[in-house]
Amino acid sequence: MRKSDSAAEDRAKAKSVKPLRALWPFLRPHRQLLAAALTMLVVAAVFTLLLPLALRRVIDLGFDAENAERVDQYFIAMIVVAGALAAATAARFYFVTRLGERVIADVRKAVYDRVIGRSPAFFEQIQTGEVLSRLTTDVTVIQSVVGSSASIALRNILILFGGLAMLIATSPKLSGLVLLTVPLVVFPVLTLGRRVRKLSRESQDRVADASAMASETLLAAQTVQAYTHEARARARFGGLVEQAFTAARRRVEARAALTVIVIFLVFTGVVGVMWIGARDVMAGEKTAGELGQFIFYAAFVAGAVGALSEVWGELMRAAGATERLVELLEAEDAVEQSATPKPPATPARGAIRFEGVGFRYPARPQAAALSEIGFEIAPGETVALVGPSGAGKTTIFQLLLRFYDASAGAITVDGVDVRDMSAEGLRSRFALVPQEPAIFADTARENIRFGRPGATDAEVETAAKAAAAHDFLMKLPQGYDSYVGERGVMLSGGQKQRIAIARAILRDAPILLLDEATSALDAESERAVQQAVDRLSRDRTTLVIAHRLATVKRADRIIVFDEGRIIAQGPHDRLVAEGGLYARLARLQFSEGAIAAE
């Protein structure tokens, strides 16, 4: 993924347009549209090549009065050909552009569908901002190729080879001279084309770096401003933008060099051949019409080569963009889904078992997050997970939801190993209330309905009432239909938490995962929410990451973690009597008002 050394290695390997082959699976479903576009492209190229034939006849006839009728016929024929050419070109534009828009829509959906299901380990290797850059900048580059440049390239290839065939038919001698100039043009195209592609990939990487940094700081704009880091953020972003500009400038310079060399060589060769042809006409070896026809075809060939040199740079740039998107599509996930997943056990009971579980985060393989963890939770039991920061409590939740796979041991839910179930089947058994709830840029009603998309308005409001959210929601300007802003910026921390609790209540899952769901509430709201959670927990298995003694004392059992190991478990009174870490955390609760947070 996007590590500086691997990115440089990838760019060094970029030497051809072969990565564009990866677009074929997206083109294949639209073969009829592709065939229509190619047909119109061929028709347009054929009509283009017919024009010089009529022109030759006109020149050879001359402009004498006695040939006026035949001259008129040839000019009418040219108008008909021009009309057919215009119609075919318009049809080609329509089909090609439509194909490009369709393919790019499919590419965007495929990349997003792939990325949205990736585990957190995937996002430890690539920033969200870079993923967004690839979904926007890189896809736009590919769109220009599929919807335009590829068509132009194919059209000019047809004109190039068709024109060469007509050149040979018109004058083999002059055609041989033209062909001698081809190696002089092809060599710089291939050489500079590789450099353009390498620089294009580098340019896109630099844009992605800037996008990632902008996304990161804008999502934390209040923190940036609170710590007066605006100037530093501006300087850093400005530096990344300048790096992107420098990379883009180098790419543009390479393309400009490619263009000037190719065009100069092509037209110099054409002028030299025309010079020789003019002397042949003066010597009576050719007619003026043949020379005119040859000049036109030579101009077509030269124009096609010049256009291909321009388009080649675009194709190389698109190849780099395709490579980056293919990286996302083909990136291996640390959490592999079973090819033949087992269904969750029915009926759902909510039994959980950890057996000899060990785990290390991919980004920190040297440190064990969990070591030899083993415990069982009976259906309907409420268990509190307690311990200092970094003890492993949140990791338990992440392994249960299979955001990561355990390095050792086994985890089962209702007797079925979590690795044997599909992610969707497993997670349907859980309702999660994180300490920092995710609030989406939508209405309050839809944020609650996120827990169960098919829920009715009445069910949404019932869940809100149970979470003590109904009263404050009714005071919003449009009630439940009030827009809450990006990440819920229009709500307080406690209001966000109550919406998250309502969402979990609405989900109605057999296992609740609560990361101290009442930590941001005032005393009155906390009491109401705690009562709702107590009612909700009566017939459900509940795991609570507890930071408050009031929450801990309500649990049927407490599991105490320290440095990734279970050091004690049991009811509150017994653990206090035993002394040790739990007793110390309990004393801190009484004296300082909080147990150390995860």
Side-chain angles (χ1 to χ4, degrees), residues 264-325:
F264 175 76
L265 290 175
V266 167
F267 281 94
T268 299
V270 169
V271 169
V273 171
M274 287 170 58
W275 190 354
I276 296 172
R279 298 186 68 85
D280 287 345
V281 171
M282 288 186 286
E285 296 178 8
K286 286 183 177 58
T287 67
E290 286 176 328
L291 179 60
Q293 178 178 314
F294 187 89
I295 290 171
F296 260 83
Y297 284 127
F300 286 167
V301 170
V305 173
L308 285 172
S309 70
E310 291 253 355
V311 173
W312 184 254
E314 286 295 326
L315 292 175
M316 300 295 270
R317 187 179 177 208
T322 303
E323 246 183 347
R324 287 158 51 84
L325 288 173

Side-chain angles (χ1 to χ4, degrees), residues 14-16 189-199 312 316:
K15 297 180 180 178
S16 73
V189 167
L190 294 178
T191 304
L192 287 175
R194 292 193 184 101
R195 177 166 173 76
V196 167
R197 183 163 182 264
K198 178 182 177 182
L199 293 173
W312 184 254
M316 300 295 270

Side-chain angles (χ1 to χ4, degrees), residues 450-470:
F450 190 82
R452 181 156 51 90
T456 65
D457 287 351
E459 288 172 327
V460 168
E461 292 179 17
T462 299
K465 290 175 182 176
H470 178 75

Side-chain angles (χ1 to χ4, degrees), residues 159-226:
I159 291 177
L160 172 62
F161 288 102
L164 285 173
M166 296 302 294
L167 281 176
I168 294 170
T170 305
S171 174
K173 172 188 172 182
L174 296 181
S175 299
L177 295 174
V178 169
L179 292 176
L180 289 176
T181 65
V182 171
L184 297 176
V185 176
V186 170
F187 179 75
V189 167
L190 294 178
T191 304
L192 287 175
R194 292 193 184 101
R195 177 166 173 76
V196 167
R197 183 163 182 264
K198 178 182 177 182
L199 293 173
S200 295
R201 174 66 189 262
E202 182 180 352
S203 174
Q204 288 151 7
D205 281 344
R206 299 291 74 77
V207 170
D209 290 341
S211 297
M213 186 267 171
S215 174
E216 183 179 52
T217 52
L218 290 175
L219 288 173
Q222 291 184 3
T223 303
V224 172
Q225 294 170 12

Side-chain angles (χ1 to χ4, degrees), residues 16-292:
S16 73
V17 294
K18 289 181 180 179
L20 292 175
R21 295 176 183 175
L23 296 177
W24 174 242
F26 299 98
L27 288 165
R28 189 186 301 120
H30 312 293
R31 288 189 295 269
Q32 292 181 341
L33 195 58
L34 178 61
L38 290 175
T39 300
M40 290 300 102
L41 190 147
V42 171
V43 170
V46 168
F47 281 122
T48 299
L49 294 172
L50 286 177
L51 284 172
L53 292 175
L55 184 64
R56 170 186 174 179
R57 301 298 181 187
V58 172
I59 295 174
D60 282 342
L61 283 172
F63 298 98
D64 295 333
E66 59 187 39
N67 294 325
E69 185 176 347
R70 295 182 65 188
V71 169
D72 291 342
Q73 291 174 353
Y74 282 119
F75 274 112
I76 291 172
M78 282 193 285
I79 292 173
V80 171
V81 170
L85 172 61
T89 302
R92 173 188 63 83
F93 171 79
Y94 170 77
F95 288 126
V96 168
T97 305
R98 179 178 167 184
L99 178 66
E101 294 290 348
R102 180 67 267 167
V103 167
I104 290 311
D106 291 346
V107 169
R108 280 198 176 103
K109 288 194 292 184
V111 174
Y112 180 81
D113 290 350
R114 181 74 172 167
V115 171
I116 194 64
R118 301 292 84 188
S119 68
F122 173 83
F123 291 98
E124 289 180 2
Q125 302 174 50
I126 185 169
Q127 289 181 289
T128 304
E130 178 164 348
V131 174
L132 295 176
S133 173
R134 297 190 188 191
L135 275 171
T136 52
T137 305
D138 290 353
V139 170
T140 300
V141 171
I142 296 173
Q143 182 177 19
S144 71
V145 168
V146 178
S148 175
S149 299
S151 169
I152 294 172
L154 289 173
R155 176 179 177 274
N156 282 284
I157 288 172
L158 290 175
I159 291 177
L160 172 62
F161 288 102
L164 285 173
M166 296 302 294
L167 281 176
I168 294 170
T170 305
S171 174
K173 172 188 172 182
L174 296 181
S175 299
L177 295 174
V178 169
L179 292 176
L180 289 176
T181 65
V182 171
L184 297 176
V185 176
V186 170
F187 179 75
V189 167
L190 294 178
T191 304
L192 287 175
R194 292 193 184 101
R195 177 166 173 76
V196 167
R197 183 163 182 264
K198 178 182 177 182
L199 293 173
S200 295
R201 174 66 189 262
E202 182 180 352
S203 174
Q204 288 151 7
D205 281 344
R206 299 291 74 77
V207 170
D209 290 341
S211 297
M213 186 267 171
S215 174
E216 183 179 52
T217 52
L218 290 175
L219 288 173
Q222 291 184 3
T223 303
V224 172
Q225 294 170 12
Y227 281 84
T228 61
H229 274 227
E230 296 96 327
R232 183 180 176 185
R234 291 184 186 113
R236 184 181 169 202
F237 182 73
L240 291 172
V241 170
E242 285 302 317
Q243 289 179 20
F245 169 75
T246 300
R249 178 177 53 78
R250 291 168 61 198
R251 169 177 57 80
V252 171
E253 288 171 352
R255 283 194 62 188
L258 176 63
T259 301
V260 71
I261 291 172
V262 170
I263 291 178
F264 175 76
L265 290 175
V266 167
F267 281 94
T268 299
V270 169
V271 169
V273 171
M274 287 170 58
W275 190 354
I276 296 172
R279 298 186 68 85
D280 287 345
V281 171
M282 288 186 286
E285 296 178 8
K286 286 183 177 58
T287 67
E290 286 176 328
L291 179 60

